[in-house]
Amino acid sequence: MLRLSRERLLVSLAPGAVSWLKLGGHTPKVVARHTAQADPAYGQESWQGAVAALRSAAEAWRKDAVAVTIVLSNHFARYVLVPPGTGVSGIEEEHALARFYFSKVHGERSRAWDVRLGDAQPDMPRLACAIDSALLDALRACFPSEGRPKLVSAQPLLMSAFNFWRRQFPAAGAWFLLVEPERACLGLLSGQNWVAVQNAKGHFPDEQAWVNLLDRERWRTDLERVPDTVLVHAPSSAGIPHAASGAWKLQRLQAALPAGLPPHGDAVYATALTAI
């Protein structure tokens, strides 16, 4: 059996770049880091250029007995909310229901996707995520099970970031906005339950663009009381949003940096750091 060291590799995979951090020690410390550019136009799928860059990087890690966690850009993920199904029981039926809702939105191409379901309280919608199965196969091929290093997890940014920041959410719920180049993913929680999710392609460079998106999505919700607090994860965007922007209370999420990462040098690695 492959014995792993205490070191970890945290990798972010996006259409234009692959960034990675190697962490070591009892208290996580960055011992190495790097960003490799990727070609979004490489291959037929938007993720193929990023996987090609990852494959090249992985060759340099073959002697490292480390655990690898990959955080996937929301460019590579699709999300739906799956309402409670009457008479649905068991994992197979739950996944069949989730696939049905993906097919309603995305059609036949969703048949080639790997679908995962989040937890939820009884009689509440469940957040479902779908990733191209070929992407997951390509990631596993970069890290053969019998070799080094060891791939232990691949997860979409929305879930990785939510798990990282979940203690920051007010008990009553809030909006969760994740901004990447040419992509914004916006979720809404009421209490502990997801009630809306939108993964939008487009240009969202600043606070005004975020507010415009929030204003549009507000009218799609059927909550009697819509939260006005917005937790914002936007490491590549300059500036700090105003505490209040119209009807919205914007709060920029900023994590304490691990040792070994210079101040103001975290933006390119912020996605990977959500898996720490």
Side-chain angles (χ1 to χ4, degrees), residues 174-191:
W175 296 84
F176 190 31
L177 175 63
L178 300 104
V179 182
E180 303 175 75
E182 303 306 317
R183 176 73 52 171
C185 185
L186 180 64
L188 173 61
L189 286 96
S190 177

Side-chain angles (χ1 to χ4, degrees), residues 98-139:
R99 286 191 174 280
F100 168 73
Y101 279 94
F102 274 115
S103 69
K104 286 183 64 176
V105 177
H106 300 283
E108 286 296 311
R109 60 181 177 148
S110 65
R111 291 180 177 270
W113 297 347
D114 184 273
V115 174
R116 305 292 173 88
L117 274 166
D119 296 327
Q121 297 178 3
D123 301 323
M124 294 301 298
R126 298 177 70 179
L127 180 63
C129 172
I131 303 292
D132 192 337
S133 296
L135 168 56
L136 296 179
D137 290 342
L139 296 178

Side-chain angles (χ1 to χ4, degrees), residues 25 43 46 64 90 104 129 168 174 180 192 257:
S46 62
D64 298 335
K104 286 183 64 176
C129 172
Q168 301 291 327
E180 303 175 75
Q192 301 299 311
L257 301 180

Side-chain angles (χ1 to χ4, degrees), residues 15 38-53 55 76 132:
D39 181 3
Y42 176 84
Q44 294 183 334
E45 302 294 340
S46 62
W47 50 262
Q48 288 180 303
V51 169
R55 187 181 303 112
F76 305 143
D132 192 337

Side-chain angles (χ1 to χ4, degrees), residues 6-248:
R6 293 184 181 276
E7 292 185 336
R8 299 174 62 202
L9 272 170
L10 307 182
V11 181
S12 66
L13 202 76
V18 175
S19 300
W20 58 267
L21 296 159
K22 182 186 284 187
L23 303 179
H26 292 281
T27 300
K29 178 181 179 180
V30 177
V31 296
R33 67 185 190 276
H34 185 67
T35 295
Q37 298 304 307
D39 181 3
Y42 176 84
Q44 294 183 334
E45 302 294 340
S46 62
W47 50 262
Q48 288 180 303
V51 169
L54 176 64
R55 187 181 303 112
S56 296
E59 290 303 316
W61 304 331
R62 294 302 178 207
K63 295 181 180 180
D64 298 335
V66 295
V68 179
T69 298
I70 299 176
V71 182
L72 302 171
S73 164
N74 284 321
H75 281 273
F76 305 143
R78 296 88 167 176
Y79 304 101
V80 295
L81 283 177
V82 182
T86 303
V88 174
S89 62
I91 295 176
E92 289 188 3
E93 291 187 7
E94 291 171 351
H95 276 80
L97 183 62
R99 286 191 174 280
F100 168 73
Y101 279 94
F102 274 115
S103 69
K104 286 183 64 176
V105 177
H106 300 283
E108 286 296 311
R109 60 181 177 148
S110 65
R111 291 180 177 270
W113 297 347
D114 184 273
V115 174
R116 305 292 173 88
L117 274 166
D119 296 327
Q121 297 178 3
D123 301 323
M124 294 301 298
R126 298 177 70 179
L127 180 63
C129 172
I131 303 292
D132 192 337
S133 296
L135 168 56
L136 296 179
D137 290 342
L139 296 178
R140 296 185 186 107
C142 289
F143 303 97
S145 58
E146 68 279 4
R148 298 177 176 181
K150 195 78 168 181
L151 179 62
V152 297
S153 177
Q155 53 191 300
L157 175 57
L158 175 58
M159 305 321 302
S160 181
F162 175 70
N163 290 332
F164 184 84
W165 293 110
R166 65 189 310 159
R167 293 184 180 180
Q168 301 291 327
F169 281 74
W175 296 84
F176 190 31
L177 175 63
L178 300 104
V179 182
E180 303 175 75
E182 303 306 317
R183 176 73 52 171
C185 185
L186 180 64
L188 173 61
L189 286 96
S190 177
Q192 301 299 311
N193 300 301
W194 293 95
V195 294
V197 63
Q198 180 66 251
N199 193 13
K201 185 177 181 180
H203 192 47
F204 301 91
D206 52 30
E207 181 180 323
Q208 187 57 57
W210 306 345
V211 167
N212 291 342
L213 176 63
L214 287 158
D215 286 341
R216 290 196 301 270
E217 294 305 312
R218 176 201 291 272
W219 297 110
R220 298 190 183 190
T221 68
D222 57 4
L223 292 178
E224 182 176 343
R225 184 179 179 85
V226 179
D228 56 8
T229 296
V230 187
L231 304 186
V232 182
H233 177 84
S236 297
S237 300
I240 298 175
H242 297 96
S245 184
W248 303 105

